[in-house]
PDB file of all heavy atoms in Angstrom:
ATOM      1  N   LYS A 234      -4.956   7.959  13.733  1.00 98.00           N
ATOM      2  CA  LYS A 234      -4.061   9.089  14.121  1.00 98.00           C
ATOM      3  C   LYS A 234      -4.488  10.379  13.355  1.00 98.00           C
ATOM      4  O   LYS A 234      -4.306  11.438  13.890  1.00 98.00           O
ATOM      5  CB  LYS A 234      -2.596   8.818  13.749  1.00 98.00           C
ATOM      6  CG  LYS A 234      -1.633   9.674  14.482  1.00 98.00           C
ATOM      7  CD  LYS A 234      -0.249   8.977  14.593  1.00 98.00           C
ATOM      8  CE  LYS A 234       0.755  10.092  15.074  1.00 98.00           C
ATOM      9  NZ  LYS A 234       2.095   9.691  14.646  1.00 98.00           N
ATOM     10  N   TYR A 235      -4.931  10.269  12.137  1.00 98.00           N
ATOM     11  CA  TYR A 235      -5.243  11.431  11.323  1.00 98.00           C
ATOM     12  C   TYR A 235      -6.669  11.314  10.725  1.00 98.00           C
ATOM     13  O   TYR A 235      -6.861  11.068   9.569  1.00 98.00           O
ATOM     14  CB  TYR A 235      -4.224  11.499  10.136  1.00 98.00           C
ATOM     15  CG  TYR A 235      -2.791  11.483  10.595  1.00 98.00           C
ATOM     16  CD1 TYR A 235      -1.961  10.379  10.203  1.00 98.00           C
ATOM     17  CD2 TYR A 235      -2.218  12.441  11.371  1.00 98.00           C
ATOM     18  CE1 TYR A 235      -0.706  10.277  10.649  1.00 98.00           C
ATOM     19  CE2 TYR A 235      -0.925  12.397  11.797  1.00 98.00           C
ATOM     20  CZ  TYR A 235      -0.154  11.288  11.421  1.00 98.00           C
ATOM     21  OH  TYR A 235       1.199  11.206  11.768  1.00 98.00           O
ATOM     22  N   PRO A 236      -7.639  11.397  11.614  1.00 96.00           N
ATOM     23  CA  PRO A 236      -9.139  11.126  11.204  1.00 96.00           C
ATOM     24  C   PRO A 236      -9.587  12.149  10.108  1.00 96.00           C
ATOM     25  O   PRO A 236     -10.542  11.898   9.467  1.00 96.00           O
ATOM     26  CB  PRO A 236      -9.818  11.222  12.501  1.00 96.00           C
ATOM     27  CG  PRO A 236      -9.000  11.872  13.528  1.00 96.00           C
ATOM     28  CD  PRO A 236      -7.568  11.696  13.081  1.00 96.00           C
ATOM     29  N   ASP A 237      -8.893  13.260  10.004  1.00 96.00           N
ATOM     30  CA  ASP A 237      -9.344  14.251   9.044  1.00 96.00           C
ATOM     31  C   ASP A 237      -8.740  14.085   7.597  1.00 96.00           C
ATOM     32  O   ASP A 237      -9.136  14.732   6.692  1.00 96.00           O
ATOM     33  CB  ASP A 237      -8.968  15.678   9.469  1.00 96.00           C
ATOM     34  CG  ASP A 237      -9.701  16.057  10.695  1.00 96.00           C
ATOM     35  OD1 ASP A 237     -10.837  15.477  10.957  1.00 96.00           O
ATOM     36  OD2 ASP A 237      -9.194  16.921  11.540  1.00 96.00           O
ATOM     37  N   ASP A 238      -7.785  13.074   7.513  1.00 98.00           N
ATOM     38  CA  ASP A 238      -7.234  12.768   6.167  1.00 98.00           C
ATOM     39  C   ASP A 238      -8.199  12.035   5.328  1.00 98.00           C
ATOM     40  O   ASP A 238      -8.994  11.283   5.859  1.00 98.00           O
ATOM     41  CB  ASP A 238      -5.898  12.004   6.369  1.00 98.00           C
ATOM     42  CG  ASP A 238      -4.751  12.861   6.794  1.00 98.00           C
ATOM     43  OD1 ASP A 238      -4.973  14.013   7.225  1.00 98.00           O
ATOM     44  OD2 ASP A 238      -3.663  12.315   6.788  1.00 98.00           O
ATOM     45  N   ARG A 239      -8.067  12.191   4.014  1.00 98.00           N
ATOM     46  CA  ARG A 239      -8.800  11.297   3.097  1.00 98.00           C
ATOM     47  C   ARG A 239      -7.970  10.155   2.794  1.00 98.00           C
ATOM     48  O   ARG A 239      -6.756  10.222   2.442  1.00 98.00           O
ATOM     49  CB  ARG A 239      -9.095  12.113   1.765  1.00 98.00           C
ATOM     50  CG  ARG A 239      -9.715  11.370   0.653  1.00 98.00           C
ATOM     51  CD  ARG A 239     -11.224  11.491   0.736  1.00 98.00           C
ATOM     52  NE  ARG A 239     -11.870  10.831  -0.362  1.00 98.00           N
ATOM     53  CZ  ARG A 239     -12.862  10.145  -0.268  1.00 98.00           C
ATOM     54  NH1 ARG A 239     -13.466   9.814   0.907  1.00 98.00           N
ATOM     55  NH2 ARG A 239     -13.494   9.610  -1.376  1.00 98.00           N
ATOM     56  N   ILE A 240      -8.558   8.844   2.951  1.00 98.00           N
ATOM     57  CA  ILE A 240      -7.758   7.678   2.684  1.00 98.00           C
ATOM     58  C   ILE A 240      -8.471   6.898   1.581  1.00 98.00           C
ATOM     59  O   ILE A 240      -9.676   6.549   1.582  1.00 98.00           O
ATOM     60  CB  ILE A 240      -7.771   6.739   3.957  1.00 98.00           C
ATOM     61  CG1 ILE A 240      -7.054   7.402   5.140  1.00 98.00           C
ATOM     62  CG2 ILE A 240      -7.201   5.360   3.653  1.00 98.00           C
ATOM     63  CD1 ILE A 240      -7.097   6.628   6.463  1.00 98.00           C
ATOM     64  N   ILE A 241      -7.642   6.567   0.475  1.00 98.00           N
ATOM     65  CA  ILE A 241      -8.182   5.797  -0.568  1.00 98.00           C
ATOM     66  C   ILE A 241      -7.345   4.453  -0.588  1.00 98.00           C
ATOM     67  O   ILE A 241      -6.039   4.571  -0.671  1.00 98.00           O
ATOM     68  CB  ILE A 241      -7.959   6.438  -1.983  1.00 98.00           C
ATOM     69  CG1 ILE A 241      -8.417   7.953  -1.968  1.00 98.00           C
ATOM     70  CG2 ILE A 241      -8.634   5.615  -3.045  1.00 98.00           C
ATOM     71  CD1 ILE A 241      -9.879   8.053  -1.695  1.00 98.00           C
ATOM     72  N   VAL A 242      -7.951   3.315  -0.480  1.00 98.00           N
ATOM     73  CA  VAL A 242      -7.231   2.108  -0.579  1.00 98.00           C
ATOM     74  C   VAL A 242      -7.438   1.469  -1.989  1.00 98.00           C
ATOM     75  O   VAL A 242      -8.626   1.364  -2.420  1.00 98.00           O
ATOM     76  CB  VAL A 242      -7.763   1.069   0.496  1.00 98.00           C
ATOM     77  CG1 VAL A 242      -7.244  -0.283   0.176  1.00 98.00           C
ATOM     78  CG2 VAL A 242      -7.335   1.539   1.854  1.00 98.00           C
ATOM     79  N   LEU A 243      -6.419   1.171  -2.634  1.00 99.00           N
ATOM     80  CA  LEU A 243      -6.415   0.506  -3.971  1.00 99.00           C
ATOM     81  C   LEU A 243      -5.906  -0.920  -3.744  1.00 99.00           C
ATOM     82  O   LEU A 243      -4.730  -1.004  -3.404  1.00 99.00           O
ATOM     83  CB  LEU A 243      -5.693   1.260  -4.990  1.00 99.00           C
ATOM     84  CG  LEU A 243      -5.525   0.555  -6.361  1.00 99.00           C
ATOM     85  CD1 LEU A 243      -6.846   0.282  -7.021  1.00 99.00           C
ATOM     86  CD2 LEU A 243      -4.623   1.379  -7.322  1.00 99.00           C
ATOM     87  N   ASP A 244      -6.718  -1.945  -3.940  1.00 98.00           N
ATOM     88  CA  ASP A 244      -6.245  -3.268  -3.632  1.00 98.00           C
ATOM     89  C   ASP A 244      -6.939  -4.169  -4.740  1.00 98.00           C
ATOM     90  O   ASP A 244      -8.226  -4.117  -4.901  1.00 98.00           O
ATOM     91  CB  ASP A 244      -6.568  -3.693  -2.272  1.00 98.00           C
ATOM     92  CG  ASP A 244      -5.748  -4.963  -1.889  1.00 98.00           C
ATOM     93  OD1 ASP A 244      -5.996  -6.043  -2.508  1.00 98.00           O
ATOM     94  OD2 ASP A 244      -4.946  -4.827  -0.946  1.00 98.00           O
ATOM     95  N   ALA A 245      -6.231  -5.125  -5.295  1.00 98.00           N
ATOM     96  CA  ALA A 245      -6.823  -6.067  -6.254  1.00 98.00           C
ATOM     97  C   ALA A 245      -7.500  -7.175  -5.613  1.00 98.00           C
ATOM     98  O   ALA A 245      -8.148  -8.042  -6.275  1.00 98.00           O
ATOM     99  CB  ALA A 245      -5.671  -6.563  -7.096  1.00 98.00           C
ATOM    100  N   LEU A 246      -7.363  -7.348  -4.246  1.00 98.00           N
ATOM    101  CA  LEU A 246      -7.944  -8.499  -3.547  1.00 98.00           C
ATOM    102  C   LEU A 246      -7.562  -9.815  -4.161  1.00 98.00           C
ATOM    103  O   LEU A 246      -8.392 -10.645  -4.544  1.00 98.00           O
ATOM    104  CB  LEU A 246      -9.569  -8.369  -3.464  1.00 98.00           C
ATOM    105  CG  LEU A 246     -10.047  -7.128  -2.670  1.00 98.00           C
ATOM    106  CD1 LEU A 246     -11.570  -7.098  -2.716  1.00 98.00           C
ATOM    107  CD2 LEU A 246      -9.509  -7.181  -1.275  1.00 98.00           C
ATOM    108  N   THR A 247      -6.239  -9.986  -4.289  1.00 98.00           N
ATOM    109  CA  THR A 247      -5.718 -11.366  -4.593  1.00 98.00           C
ATOM    110  C   THR A 247      -5.996 -12.246  -3.398  1.00 98.00           C
ATOM    111  O   THR A 247      -6.641 -11.799  -2.438  1.00 98.00           O
ATOM    112  CB  THR A 247      -4.148 -11.235  -4.805  1.00 98.00           C
ATOM    113  OG1 THR A 247      -3.568 -10.941  -3.483  1.00 98.00           O
ATOM    114  CG2 THR A 247      -3.806 -10.169  -5.842  1.00 98.00           C
ATOM    115  N   TYR A 248      -5.488 -13.502  -3.488  1.00 98.00           N
ATOM    116  CA  TYR A 248      -5.737 -14.418  -2.408  1.00 98.00           C
ATOM    117  C   TYR A 248      -5.271 -13.806  -0.980  1.00 98.00           C
ATOM    118  O   TYR A 248      -5.766 -14.137   0.056  1.00 98.00           O
ATOM    119  CB  TYR A 248      -4.863 -15.721  -2.554  1.00 98.00           C
ATOM    120  CG  TYR A 248      -3.381 -15.575  -2.287  1.00 98.00           C
ATOM    121  CD1 TYR A 248      -2.924 -15.840  -1.017  1.00 98.00           C
ATOM    122  CD2 TYR A 248      -2.553 -14.988  -3.209  1.00 98.00           C
ATOM    123  CE1 TYR A 248      -1.610 -15.596  -0.646  1.00 98.00           C
ATOM    124  CE2 TYR A 248      -1.230 -14.770  -2.894  1.00 98.00           C
ATOM    125  CZ  TYR A 248      -0.774 -15.045  -1.604  1.00 98.00           C
ATOM    126  OH  TYR A 248       0.496 -14.784  -1.243  1.00 98.00           O
ATOM    127  N   ALA A 249      -4.292 -12.816  -1.030  1.00 98.00           N
ATOM    128  CA  ALA A 249      -3.713 -12.288   0.206  1.00 98.00           C
ATOM    129  C   ALA A 249      -4.467 -11.049   0.626  1.00 98.00           C
ATOM    130  O   ALA A 249      -4.251 -10.573   1.769  1.00 98.00           O
ATOM    131  CB  ALA A 249      -2.244 -11.889  -0.080  1.00 98.00           C
TER     132      ALA A 249
END
Side-chain angles (χ1 to χ4, degrees):
K234 198 157 169 206
Y235 309 114
D237 294 334
D238 283 10
R239 175 89 172 138
I240 298 177
I241 313 298
V242 169
L243 173 61
D244 197 297
L246 296 179
T247 67
Y248 79 91

